Amino acid sequence: MSAGAYYPLFADLHGRRCVVVGGGVVAQRKVTTLLDYGAAITVVSPTATTRLLAYALRGRVRYLARAFRPADLRGAWLVYAATDDQRINESVYRTASRLRIFTNVVDQKPLCSFIAPAIVKRGDLVIAISTGGMSPAIAKRLRRELTAHVGADYARLLKLLGGLREAAKSRLPNFQARKRYFDRLVGGRVFALVRAGKTHAARREALALLDASSHNGS
């Protein structure tokens, strides 16, 4: 493994304070993505796009219409810097590093303590693709390919399986038995029914299989 390898991590940002320094189109993209994951966002920039201003007017983000100050990062969990002023970008990185806050200065890998992956999202299913910052073009291509092949049926199956977890834990107290059960759901008739749009039938089939598994110990 290379010395610069990145550790993949899915973070819970719901209600967490995230700061985006910059008010242009790139900053807007970062803000829009963070909003999808429930982050509490502060945008710092003397100017902002129409969409960012609309977010602020609707109370979806807090907008500070001025230049960045180091104190803006207090209490933040994650920071993006997306400005065309290198001095500001470097100031954001230095401040965040001192405060041990995950930071990404857009398109400047040496000024990043994390890099954002390309994302494919289907309901609660999230697939993240990273090239370690070496080729965003490859990551985007893979995202397009996965988007074409991973359909909404996976989200429906995930919802079904998630709803069965507690029942499986109570009926199949052995970890290996639960693993075999869910492997059978993913690889067998249940998923075929989900793909056919027959979610109620799929649930009945899954429950019947759970009943059988709990009686025969497998």
Side-chain angles (χ1 to χ4, degrees), residues 100-144:
R100 298 183 180 181
I101 301 168
F102 280 117
T103 311
N104 180 290
V105 177
V106 177
D107 289 334
Q108 296 191 47
K109 187 177 176 182
L111 300 182
C112 296
S113 58
F114 81 94
I115 53 177
I119 296 172
V120 177
K121 193 172 189 298
R122 293 286 184 267
D124 289 325
L125 175 64
V126 179
I127 303 170
I129 307 156
S130 174
T131 60
M134 290 188 288
S135 180
I138 289 177
K140 289 177 182 178
R141 174 169 180 148
L142 285 170
R143 178 175 62 190
R144 288 196 299 270

Side-chain angles (χ1 to χ4, degrees), residues 68 70 73-74 76-81 89-105 111 113:
F68 168 74
L73 301 190
R74 289 176 184 164
W77 285 67
L78 180 147
V79 179
Y80 276 106
N89 290 337
E90 291 176 357
S91 177
V92 171
Y93 177 73
R94 287 195 304 270
T95 303
S97 296
R98 186 173 66 251
L99 296 173
R100 298 183 180 181
I101 301 168
F102 280 117
T103 311
N104 180 290
V105 177
L111 300 182
S113 58

